[in-house]
Amino acid sequence: ATTLGNSNSVPSTDTWNGKGYCAELNTKFVGIGVVGKLAAGNLFTGNYVRTDGTNGILHFGRPFTGRPTKLKGHWKCKVEKISHSSSEFAHLKGQPDTCVVYVALADWNDQYEIRTNPNNRQLFNKNDEHVIAYGTIESAKTIANWQDFEITLEYRATNRKPKYILIVASASKYGDYFTGGDGTTLWVDDFSLEWDY
């Protein structure tokens, strides 16, 4: 988005408790006329590495060795109908977009590289053998007022130690495929990890 215009992931003072800032993540079509791409507003633990044409290369995850049981936070969203899609998700056009937040613990040896270019695409797979625990929430309906959320991490292995934590929030679930609704917006605030043991 920032290649062709202003950032679509910005701070906002519209917070759940009226203090500080939250993250406002906007899905928008970026370009001139019909030439351009849909960019899903997103936030993730990791690094933006570089832009490959109009595609992104990211490194997912931050070093982390704890074993939390939950991710808590606050969210609201404005969901639009899917207006733009890649060819493999053309059947979703006209259906409601889906906002998503997910968390994963993994024992990758390094950060996980994400590539959105269809020619050498590599995206996060929750079923990757290195993913130790995973949890998610989604909404395909507008949530007009701030709500608390709680994501329970489902552990697949308790005898392996995490090396990385990945937290992702995206206004459009299929944003990696440049699929979503122009104008869909997700607000997130005040994340915390919980240990219930």
Side-chain angles (χ1 to χ4, degrees):
T2 56
T3 302
L4 298 172
N6 297 324
S7 177
N8 59 336
S9 299
V10 296
S12 169
T13 56
D14 179 10
T15 61
W16 73 278
N17 61 2
K19 299 176 182 176
Y21 294 90
C22 73
E24 180 182 317
L25 313 175
N26 301 286
T27 293
K28 64 180 183 178
F29 180 80
V30 182
I32 301 169
V34 296
V35 179
K37 274 192 175 177
L38 187 88
N42 65 85
L43 189 68
F44 64 93
T45 54
N47 308 93
Y48 191 92
V49 179
R50 67 182 180 276
T51 302
D52 174 17
T54 56
N55 299 283
I57 297 176
L58 322 173
H59 284 168
F60 266 10
R62 290 282 190 191
F64 186 82
T65 58
R67 292 186 179 94
T69 54
K70 294 176 183 175
L71 173 70
K72 289 185 176 182
H74 308 272
W75 75 338
K76 67 177 184 173
C77 58
K78 178 176 66 107
V79 173
E80 302 290 348
K81 290 183 178 179
I82 292 176
S83 55
H84 298 79
S85 72
S86 61
S87 57
E88 63 255 64
F89 289 100
H91 63 283
L92 295 179
K93 272 196 173 179
Q95 295 184 29
D97 206 348
T98 301
C99 298
V100 63
V101 178
Y102 65 86
V103 56
L105 300 172
D107 59 2
W108 301 308
N109 289 324
D110 204 346
Q111 289 177 301
Y112 187 80
E113 185 169 277
I114 299 293
R115 300 185 298 269
T116 62
N117 188 328
N119 295 324
N120 67 343
R121 183 180 287 152
Q122 178 171 280
L123 303 176
F124 173 76
N125 178 2
K126 67 181 182 180
N127 298 314
D128 182 293
E129 64 181 355
H130 293 284
V131 174
I132 296 170
Y134 178 81
T136 187
I137 56 165
E138 300 179 357
S139 180
K141 294 181 180 179
T142 292
I143 302 170
N145 299 308
W146 283 101
Q147 289 185 3
D148 299 346
F149 71 77
E150 184 177 284
I151 301 172
T152 299
L153 277 154
E154 301 291 340
Y155 278 80
R156 300 166 190 174
T158 54
N159 60 341
R160 289 159 53 197
K161 188 175 182 179
K163 295 180 182 178
Y164 289 91
I165 187 169
L166 172 61
I167 301 172
V168 174
S170 179
S172 297
K173 179 179 179 179
Y174 298 109
D176 288 339
Y177 298 92
F178 308 103
T179 297
D182 195 359
T184 295
T185 306
L186 171 63
W187 294 263
V188 291
D189 199 6
D190 244 356
F191 286 6
S192 64
L193 294 170
E194 304 289 327
W195 280 259
D196 291 343
Y197 54 83

